[in-house]
Amino acid sequence: MIRDISSIRNIGIIAHIDAGKTTTTERILFYAGEIHNPGNVDDGNTVTDFDPEEAQRGITIYSAAISCSWRGCSINIIDTPGHVDFTAEVQRSLRVLDGGVVVFSAVEGVEAQSETVWRQADGFKVPRICFINKLDRIGANFERVVGQITDRLQGVPLVLSIPIGSGPATNSDGFTGIVDLLRMEAVYFDKESKGREIRREPIPAACQDQADDYRTQLIESVAMLDEAVFAVYDETGDIPLADLNRLIREGTITGQFQPLLCGASLDYIGVQPILDAVVDYLPSPLDVPPVEGRHPKKESVEIRKPNEDEPFAGLVFKVQVDEHSELYFVRVYSGVLKSRSRMLNPRTGERELISQLWKMQADSRVKLDEAGAGDIVGVVGPKTSVTGDTLCEANQPILLESITFPETVISMAIEPETSADRKKLEETLKLLAKQDPTFRAKISEETGQTIVSGMGELHLEIISKRMERDFHLKMRIHKPRVTYRETICKAVEFEEVFERQAGATSLYAMIKLRAEPLESAQSVVVENKMKPGAFPAELTQVLIQAMNDESKSGGTVGYPLMNMKLQVLGAGFREGETNEIAVRAAAASAVRRVLDDAGVMLLEPVMKLEVVTPNDFVGNVTADLNSRRASILNTGLRGNLVVIEAEVPLSGMFGYSTQVRSLSQGRASYSMEPLRFAPAPDSVLKTMLGE
């Protein structure tokens, strides 16, 4: 199989909820010829929102992969959710994508989740283009949004098109088309043909001055990237189109700026230029650095180039499960993956069967015999792999960087209605946890109830409904509650000696342990600080694993531990008396004693909150937030609405959606996302300890 990898584009459509991601994706598929009649989100008939919950609620919940072709390029698109409860879907999609299209509403502008997905794209160094959508709406303001991308996101928008008019087209100055600043032409999209027929005309006089200003900014920004081109610009005052496109592509891929386009996807205006920009400016797999990993045993750095002659390496970035099957989404970074082959999972050391390969088209599939470097495919066959795992050739192993996900912040108890459903519930929860890395389930030791944890009330509601609908489980669901964390208050050192007589056998192990709090938010870190050879190597592995296991069992109150480092400073052993049992027992006891000596602090999830409300209700909203222990950081204007930014403990925010509607006569909206874990009031811990 010989393919032109330079013609592949792997992109994500990312944005805040209701900015128009799914509608834009639907129009892209329509113009690319993948569908003949574009659907609408409100009607629940779009290609990528195929899940019943998505269709019913009119929001994207699960990232959906789909492919299309444009100007000879194969474009793999992932339409991602915009709701903060499903931010993990964005996280794992960006991990394997080469480029992104960030959609902004011309009315709301840069919103809370816009900032989150932008930061995620920054973290993965994903080149992106911007699309300002909904310019046909009342209150649309193109220049305000461009300014917000610069000020709030620290982006560098390179404006390639500007709107002709603004607001509903029925107005005399409504939005009717765009000005293409590269060719300096007005572009109109015929409504009768759903935008397929395009007219190019001279720029209207009312837009000429603005177009000239933006064209000058565009030329000057691009000319700075190439001395020879700058010399041409200095002499002639212009740059040839071919040089413009070449340098825009170069600056986009290196992250120096983000090309910015505009339109109204619902009205079929300005979508084809997005496809042109994806082809012209976003990178192919050949334009991004080769993927790096490490050898699972030698700890050496391994590199895989996007070439089909290289050894195969791929990353599992999503697992989709139902009652009968598991589908693994894999990004192929190098080599060729063939059906009916076996590939190594270096994390587990097991070889996974690749029984089937599929090209994914949302909820439909096309069977493949093989997939090459740059492809994103569905795989059926693996059994033990999870999100973030590497698949590679057994004789050329590589362990790619995995995917990290945020901590869960909310929990609720669920119980099967009949004892016969208990085992089925347990199996279902395992499947759902495999699909969703931000979903957790465990049995409470005190009550025997099953506790499930997730990223928000909507997240857990969607999962509970899915268990009823797809897995036919009848359950009793209790009210959600906050998922706290525990950490230690101070650094301590402790030496634990374990000695016990078990029949005729003597058991002995000594461990010297240091624990200290960490400032950065992370799970427990266990380090081996013993001198080489001071303790038998096979028992050292047992010791470190036992420390990890014990730290995961929770703190004094039973909540997971975090922000803590455990260091093994030394260990003692006796021939014939120190074995795995003694080491595990000593490790467990040492960790418990260290927690007692260091003192435990309870941490509660603090959320970043943004409330958008008419000015008449600001007093009501802020008074209510103060009663919820919120810290109001800033208030500002977004059009004729007031934006309140605050930090607030999650424990005070249950039922807030109903309350904020009541306080504002249904006119305020809000978005909330996890920010950090912070010390909870002493009274909360005392209540839990029964003091």
Side-chain angles (χ1 to χ4, degrees):
M1 178 177 68
I2 300 175
R3 301 177 313 142
D4 181 10
I5 298 177
S6 67
S7 67
I8 296 175
R9 302 288 184 273
N10 292 315
I11 68 165
I13 311 291
I14 56 178
H16 185 92
I17 190 170
D18 285 338
K21 297 179 308 303
T22 300
T23 300
T24 301
T25 304
E26 194 78 3
R27 301 302 184 257
I28 285 173
L29 297 176
F30 173 60
Y31 295 125
E34 290 295 328
I35 57 176
H36 301 295
N37 188 29
N40 286 312
V41 172
D42 291 341
D43 298 332
N45 61 353
T46 59
V47 173
T48 52
D49 282 356
F50 53 84
D51 184 85
E53 286 291 331
E54 295 178 310
Q56 178 183 336
R57 296 171 185 270
I59 63 171
T60 301
I61 296 170
Y62 307 106
S63 56
I66 196 162
S67 301
C68 66
S69 297
W70 186 258
R71 287 174 40 201
C73 278
S74 175
I75 305 174
N76 298 316
I77 302 170
I78 297 183
D79 178 27
T80 64
H83 195 286
V84 65
D85 282 16
F86 311 105
T87 189
E89 291 283 335
V90 185
Q91 186 87 352
R92 59 182 171 189
S93 299
L94 286 172
R95 170 65 177 81
V96 297
L97 293 173
D98 301 322
V101 178
V102 189
V103 182
F104 301 93
S105 165
V107 180
E108 287 82 10
V110 173
E111 300 176 88
Q113 188 67 0
S114 309
E115 295 187 52
T116 300
V117 297
W118 192 273
R119 286 197 308 270
Q120 289 173 319
D122 281 342
F124 290 116
K125 296 182 172 61
V126 175
R128 68 216 79 148
I129 59 179
C130 301
F131 178 62
I132 298 180
N133 190 27
K134 299 189 178 183
L135 281 158
D136 57 339
R137 301 289 180 89
I138 296 172
N141 189 320
F142 174 79
E143 293 192 343
R144 174 168 52 84
V145 182
V146 174
Q148 289 178 342
I149 294 172
T150 303
D151 298 336
R152 294 185 60 178
L153 304 180
Q154 284 74 57
V156 186
L158 185 73
V159 178
L160 303 186
S161 63
I162 60 173
I164 300 173
S166 182
T170 52
N171 296 351
S172 59
D173 58 348
F175 179 60
T176 55
I178 63 174
V179 174
D180 178 352
L181 297 175
L182 293 172
R183 296 170 179 82
M184 289 302 280
E185 295 174 332
V187 186
Y188 299 96
F189 300 80
D190 177 59
K191 191 170 185 178
E192 293 299 317
S193 65
K194 296 182 178 178
R196 279 181 292 196
E197 294 181 13
I198 298 174
R199 302 191 325 273
R200 290 184 172 268
E201 299 179 1
I203 298 172
C207 298
Q208 189 67 57
D209 289 344
Q210 185 187 28
D212 289 339
D213 289 343
Y214 273 111
R215 168 77 178 189
T216 300
Q217 294 175 29
L218 166 63
I219 295 290
E220 290 178 349
S221 298
V222 171
M224 300 298 292
L225 301 180
D226 188 298
E227 290 185 8
V229 171
F230 185 82
V232 171
Y233 167 62
D234 194 37
E235 182 177 337
T236 66
D238 205 353
I239 298 176
L241 182 59
D243 284 331
L244 265 179
N245 279 325
R246 174 177 62 82
L247 292 176
I248 293 172
R249 178 178 180 81
E250 178 184 312
T252 304
I253 291 173
T254 55
Q256 295 180 70
F257 44 66
Q258 298 83 36
L260 184 143
L261 305 162
C262 64
S265 297
L266 190 63
D267 281 350
Y268 305 95
I269 299 176
V271 177
Q272 294 96 320
I274 300 175
L275 281 163
D276 288 333
V278 167
V279 171
D280 291 336
Y281 308 134
L282 290 181
S284 75
L286 296 176
D287 296 315
V288 296
V291 68
E292 289 189 3
R294 59 181 177 84
H295 194 287
K297 294 181 179 178
K298 300 177 183 177
E299 297 298 323
S300 57
V301 175
E302 300 285 327
I303 295 176
R304 294 288 186 271
K305 298 177 182 177
N307 190 311
E308 293 179 0
D309 295 329
E310 290 266 303
F312 165 73
L315 186 76
V316 177
F317 68 95
K318 179 174 177 174
V319 183
Q320 185 173 300
V321 303
D322 57 35
E323 276 191 295
H324 310 293
S325 66
E326 297 176 10
L327 179 68
Y328 294 76
F329 287 74
V330 176
R331 162 70 192 262
V332 180
Y333 282 102
S334 64
V336 175
L337 179 62
K338 297 183 178 181
S339 62
R340 298 176 297 280
S341 63
R342 285 189 177 273
M343 291 296 165
L344 174 71
N345 180 334
R347 180 184 64 84
T348 63
E350 296 183 17
R351 296 185 69 173
E352 296 276 35
L353 174 66
I354 310 298
S355 58
Q356 297 175 357
L357 288 177
W358 299 93
K359 176 185 176 183
M360 301 306 301
Q361 290 292 90
D363 61 340
S364 63
R365 311 175 186 178
V366 178
K367 200 165 189 178
L368 301 172
D369 292 324
E370 60 184 40
D375 283 340
I376 293 176
V377 292
V379 175
V380 174
K383 297 298 182 187
T384 61
S385 296
V386 297
T387 298
D389 277 356
T390 303
L391 295 176
C392 61
E393 294 183 13
N395 60 348
Q396 296 281 348
I398 182 174
L399 193 60
L400 302 176
E401 182 184 354
S402 189
I403 309 172
T404 57
F405 296 99
E407 294 281 343
T408 59
V409 298
I410 190 172
S411 302
M412 68 181 183
I414 60 173
E415 299 174 85
E417 286 197 350
T418 65
S419 57
D421 281 338
R422 189 166 296 281
K423 184 169 179 57
K424 186 177 181 181
L425 173 62
E426 184 180 329
E427 293 170 352
T428 299
L429 291 175
K430 286 181 180 178
L431 285 175
L432 292 174
K434 190 171 188 178
Q435 170 171 317
D436 187 346
T438 59
F439 174 70
R440 305 275 191 276
K442 69 174 184 177
I443 306 295
S444 169
E445 293 182 4
E446 292 102 5
T447 64
Q449 289 179 314
T450 299
I451 306 297
V452 294
S453 305
M455 299 305 298
E457 290 181 87
L458 179 61
H459 186 200
L460 294 184
E461 181 185 339
I462 295 291
I463 286 176
S464 62
K465 286 185 177 295
R466 188 177 174 207
M467 285 193 284
E468 293 176 0
R469 185 188 71 239
D470 296 347
F471 295 91
H472 313 296
L473 276 167
K474 294 188 181 299
M475 301 168 298
R476 290 188 294 271
I477 299 173
H478 300 265
K479 288 184 178 180
R481 63 181 188 179
V482 173
T483 298
Y484 292 93
R485 294 289 186 272
E486 295 182 55
T487 191
I488 55 175
C489 300
K490 62 182 179 180
V492 294
E493 289 187 15
F494 186 81
E495 186 174 300
E496 174 69 11
V497 178
F498 176 82
E499 286 187 279
R500 184 165 299 175
Q501 194 72 25
T505 305
S506 296
L507 298 177
Y508 171 84
M510 184 278 288
I511 297 171
K512 188 174 183 181
L513 187 64
R514 174 180 170 81
E516 60 183 52
L518 296 174
E519 291 186 4
S520 57
Q522 57 183 301
S523 302
V524 178
V525 177
V526 179
E527 294 181 348
N528 177 14
K529 291 294 185 180
M530 294 187 291
K531 294 179 180 179
F535 201 63
E538 64 276 9
L539 291 179
T540 299
Q541 292 181 349
V542 172
L543 172 58
I544 298 301
Q545 185 60 48
M547 304 276 289
N548 276 304
D549 292 344
E550 187 62 27
S551 65
K552 289 176 183 175
S553 65
T556 304
V557 191
Y559 288 109
L561 289 161
M562 67 181 297
N563 297 3
M564 183 177 78
K565 181 191 290 185
L566 293 174
Q567 295 178 318
V568 182
L569 304 179
F573 70 99
R574 295 174 184 167
E575 289 291 343
E577 296 184 14
T578 305
N579 58 18
E580 183 174 333
I581 295 173
V583 169
R584 287 189 176 277
S589 180
V591 172
R592 291 294 119 192
R593 295 288 294 273
V594 158
L595 292 178
D596 290 340
D597 287 2
V600 167
M601 177 191 300
L602 193 68
L603 302 175
E604 65 177 353
V606 174
M607 313 299 285
K608 179 181 179 182
L609 175 71
E610 182 180 277
V611 184
V612 182
T613 177
N615 188 59
D616 295 347
F617 309 107
V618 170
N620 293 347
V621 172
T622 54
D624 178 69
L625 289 177
N626 288 329
S627 72
R628 298 171 187 267
R629 293 196 287 130
S631 298
I632 297 175
L633 306 178
N634 188 38
T635 57
L637 293 176
R638 184 177 293 163
N640 58 354
L641 298 173
V642 177
V643 180
I644 302 170
E645 297 176 6
E647 294 178 4
V648 58
L650 177 61
S651 59
M653 294 303 290
F654 292 119
Y656 185 66
S657 57
T658 302
Q659 180 68 5
V660 77
R661 283 197 296 268
S662 173
L663 292 170
S664 63
Q665 299 176 12
R667 296 173 63 191
S669 62
Y670 80 100
S671 60
M672 187 169 64
E673 64 177 288
L675 180 63
R676 65 177 184 274
F677 280 87
D682 292 340
S683 58
V684 179
L685 180 57
K686 289 179 180 178
T687 300
M688 292 179 180
L689 295 174
E691 296 179 6

